[in-house]
Amino acid sequence: MPPVSTAERDPLAAWRVESLRLTAFPSPSAQIIEPTWWHDLRGEEPENRVSQPRKGGLKEQGPFAGGSLILGVEPTRIDWVYTPIIDEKQASEGFLTIGPLQDTIGVFTPLMNRWFELETCPTVQRLAFGAVTLQLAQDRRSGYRQLAQYLHSVQIDIENSSDFVYQINRKRHSGIIQGLDINRLTRWYVIAQQYVSMQMVVPPESMQMPSVPTHGSVGPSYHACRLEMDINTVPEFQGGFEREQLTLIFQELVDLALEISDHGDIP
Amino acid sequence: MTTTTTETNPRFDSSARTDRDAFAHRYIPESSSWTKPFPPDEPSENATGLHDRPPELVESFRCLLISGRDEIFEDGMESEFSKNLIDLIKKYGNDALAELAYFIVYEKVSAEVTGEALRWLGLMDHPLSYHWRLWLLERSLSSRSARIRDGAVLGLAFLDDPDAIPYVRQAADREPVKELRSDMEQVLVQLESGLRGHSS
């Protein structure tokens, strides 16, 4: 591993969270019938519940810790996703995020641990922790400079290149279960966001005419380094985890994500 | 009326989206050099992110499973149904398996068609979808239909993976149909002999 000066990287708190996700893949023997998990964890009914009979699925959503908590259930997977609430004003002033990485993990992880402890939590044979995080940048070049501090195996030509995307999977052995491997998939790049506002004239329905834009304004553009992490146990692991192992394994996945956010792309 | 829009570009769309509206605002890339749609992510068993399944997949499966009802299946013989099933799985990978899981887990198709599908899940050669095929076969051992359980155990015999042993053993222990239980026990012997061969 090349020597890395931590002084050049921003602190961990510079990573703002766009979304956190826990995905549990149930064992073949798991029977999931009308789960009430959202209510069980939050102690109230979700704001929205969408039954998806075509997918054999269910989606529930409601407020959680300044953001939105979404539960998605399908025959082959269960997803808990923590995202920002869509806020037009905040979106027009930059990127929509829930908060600093450590803070958001600090509220999401205990909630997921409570789910693992529920009697109705199914047997799980594969577990994943996903996080999408942003680190603000002044412009593309600054973004590349920031990324370069995390990508030790890559030489980015900051002045003469664009459209850079770096994706890698660096497997590790689990420290919790012998023989279990963990995928550490990451994708790094710089994004830009620009808010475009338009005034539309909407003709009466009887005229059967399309809406016409009459005035538009373009807001400033914002840049950020974006890091997508998908830390998950390998699909080859069969048989299902013991209930007591779930909390430990999930914490291991979260810790690996924190390590990547802090130290960058390391073996 | 004022409407606010943001430009979109599919190449940097979040893989963690949960539905089309969850992230009404999307990101544009840091420059717009591409003149063609960004190539989709390479299918990978290592990735677990959420994504929308191709919309045509639902209809393709519905048509396949409906047309399968009119076919007469012969043991081990290819059929229009089996060829189309394999094509769909090879084309759409694990998205196809997730779609098929709905029909099989919730028993939305005739037991005969499901049984045939399960046999071919075991027979076909497609490493990328291997784990979901194994999952679906193991899951189908607990079906209420004996015909589906029969298809599942045959599929597992073709797959010949010792990882299925605990599921086949449990299924054999609770199997009420004598002949099927005997088949399951035979498959158990086959899988266990593979395990011994592997460890020696």
Side-chain angles (χ1 to χ4, degrees):
Chain A
M1 191 173 69
V4 180
S5 163
T6 50
E8 292 167 348
R9 288 194 299 273
D10 281 327
L12 196 52
W15 288 111
R16 311 278 305 178
V17 173
E18 193 184 291
S19 70
L20 297 181
R21 167 177 62 89
L22 174 148
T23 300
F25 296 90
S27 296
S29 55
Q31 301 285 336
I32 302 165
I33 303 158
E34 296 180 13
T36 55
W37 298 322
W38 205 102
H39 176 273
D40 295 342
L41 291 192
R42 300 292 298 131
E44 59 182 349
E45 290 300 317
E47 240 171 37
N48 298 300
R49 177 181 290 131
V50 182
S51 172
Q52 299 169 301
R54 264 299 297 109
K55 289 164 84 177
L58 170 80
K59 190 166 281 182
E60 295 184 329
Q61 178 269 331
F64 169 65
S68 179
L69 181 69
I70 302 164
L71 166 66
V73 183
E74 287 186 34
T76 53
R77 62 188 288 155
I78 299 154
D79 292 283
W80 288 97
V81 185
Y82 179 27
T83 66
I85 292 167
I86 304 298
D87 178 336
E88 290 273 322
K89 187 171 179 297
Q90 199 196 340
S92 69
E93 292 168 356
F95 297 99
L96 276 178
T97 57
I98 329 168
L101 181 60
Q102 282 163 305
D103 295 355
T104 51
I105 282 176
V107 292
F108 185 65
T109 307
L111 190 78
M112 295 299 96
N113 288 341
R114 281 175 47 211
W115 181 60
F116 295 140
E117 288 162 10
L118 291 178
E119 277 296 307
T120 51
C121 180
T123 319
V124 171
Q125 70 173 27
R126 189 180 181 197
L127 199 59
F129 173 65
V132 182
T133 59
L134 300 171
Q135 199 176 106
L136 298 179
Q138 290 223 310
D139 51 29
R140 177 175 59 82
R141 286 187 179 84
S142 307
Y144 281 180
R145 262 182 226 109
Q146 284 165 244
L147 277 189
Q149 305 307 320
Y150 294 92
L151 305 179
H152 316 300
S153 315
V154 184
Q155 187 93 35
I156 309 174
D157 181 355
I158 290 166
E159 296 303 322
N160 303 305
S161 63
S162 64
D163 300 82
F164 172 81
V165 180
Y166 177 71
Q167 178 172 319
I168 196 162
N169 181 19
R170 292 192 187 271
K171 276 187 189 180
R172 284 258 185 96
H173 299 306
S174 167
I176 306 295
I177 296 179
Q178 205 175 5
L180 174 68
D181 280 343
I182 294 173
N183 289 311
R184 298 187 307 140
L185 266 164
T186 57
R187 184 186 293 180
W188 308 73
Y189 50 94
V190 171
I191 52 169
Q193 177 174 276
Q194 196 161 31
Y195 211 67
V196 181
S197 186
M198 279 184 206
Q199 281 193 338
M200 308 283 284
V201 173
V202 184
E205 210 172 316
S206 59
M207 291 178 71
Q208 294 190 323
M209 285 170 66
S211 304
V212 183
T214 57
H215 175 73
S217 66
V218 180
S221 65
Y222 300 93
H223 289 78
C225 302
R226 194 160 192 247
L227 165 59
E228 295 177 20
M229 292 179 280
D230 186 351
I231 318 294
N232 60 77
T233 62
V234 293
E236 290 81 9
F237 185 80
Q238 293 285 312
F241 300 119
E242 302 288 331
R243 190 177 287 269
E244 314 79 70
Q245 290 175 326
L246 287 173
T247 305
L248 296 172
I249 297 164
F250 187 58
Q251 189 58 52
E252 186 172 32
L253 304 182
V254 169
D255 288 343
L256 289 169
L258 286 169
E259 183 194 58
I260 291 165
S261 309
D262 198 12
H263 298 284
D265 172 44
I266 54 173
Chain B
M1 190 184 80
T2 302
T3 308
T4 308
T5 60
T6 50
E7 284 190 48
T8 63
N9 184 305
R11 73 185 173 115
F12 287 143
D13 195 6
S14 164
S15 62
R17 293 176 61 221
T18 55
D19 59 63
R20 284 178 199 287
D21 301 319
F23 284 86
H25 86 290
R26 296 200 227 166
Y27 299 122
I28 55 173
E30 36 90 2
S31 74
S32 303
S33 315
W34 286 83
T35 57
K36 61 170 188 175
F38 195 68
D41 291 346
E42 207 175 301
S44 163
E45 268 209 328
N46 299 325
T48 65
L50 286 156
H51 62 276
D52 293 327
R53 284 180 217 140
E56 71 275 15
L57 191 56
V58 177
E59 201 48 37
S60 302
F61 262 104
R62 221 172 58 82
C63 293
L64 172 74
L65 297 166
I66 288 172
S67 67
R69 288 191 303 210
D70 302 326
E71 279 198 60
I72 296 163
F73 302 120
E74 291 179 60
D75 280 353
M77 298 295 285
E78 267 194 357
S79 60
E80 272 306 299
F81 172 79
S82 67
K83 277 189 271 186
N84 291 332
L85 174 71
I86 290 168
D87 285 348
L88 276 177
I89 293 172
K90 287 189 172 172
K91 183 172 178 188
Y92 294 102
N94 288 329
D95 280 346
L97 267 297
E99 198 59 46
L100 186 62
Y102 158 75
F103 288 100
I104 292 182
V105 170
Y106 293 104
E107 302 185 2
K108 299 286 181 190
V109 202
S110 75
E112 180 151 11
V113 173
T114 301
E116 179 70 2
L118 292 169
R119 282 189 282 277
W120 284 96
L121 288 188
L123 261 173
M124 69 179 288
D125 179 29
H126 187 241
L128 191 69
S129 62
Y130 181 86
H131 287 101
W132 280 117
R133 286 187 286 125
L134 177 63
W135 185 90
L136 207 42
L137 290 168
E138 291 169 342
R139 177 72 173 73
S140 299
L141 288 172
S142 51
S143 167
R144 288 172 300 180
S145 158
R147 199 179 282 264
I148 294 176
R149 296 196 298 276
D150 182 51
V153 80
L154 260 173
L156 286 168
F158 291 133
L159 221 50
D160 201 22
D161 188 332
D163 281 337
I165 289 173
Y167 297 100
V168 179
R169 186 174 291 134
Q170 282 170 19
D173 287 347
R174 62 174 181 254
E175 180 54 58
V177 181
K178 200 177 156 190
E179 280 178 10
L180 188 48
R181 187 167 61 244
S182 166
D183 289 346
M184 288 175 175
E185 283 161 353
Q186 263 185 305
V187 172
L188 260 182
V189 171
Q190 174 199 323
L191 298 179
E192 283 168 344
S193 69
L195 195 62
R196 279 193 297 277
H198 193 258
S199 61
S200 62

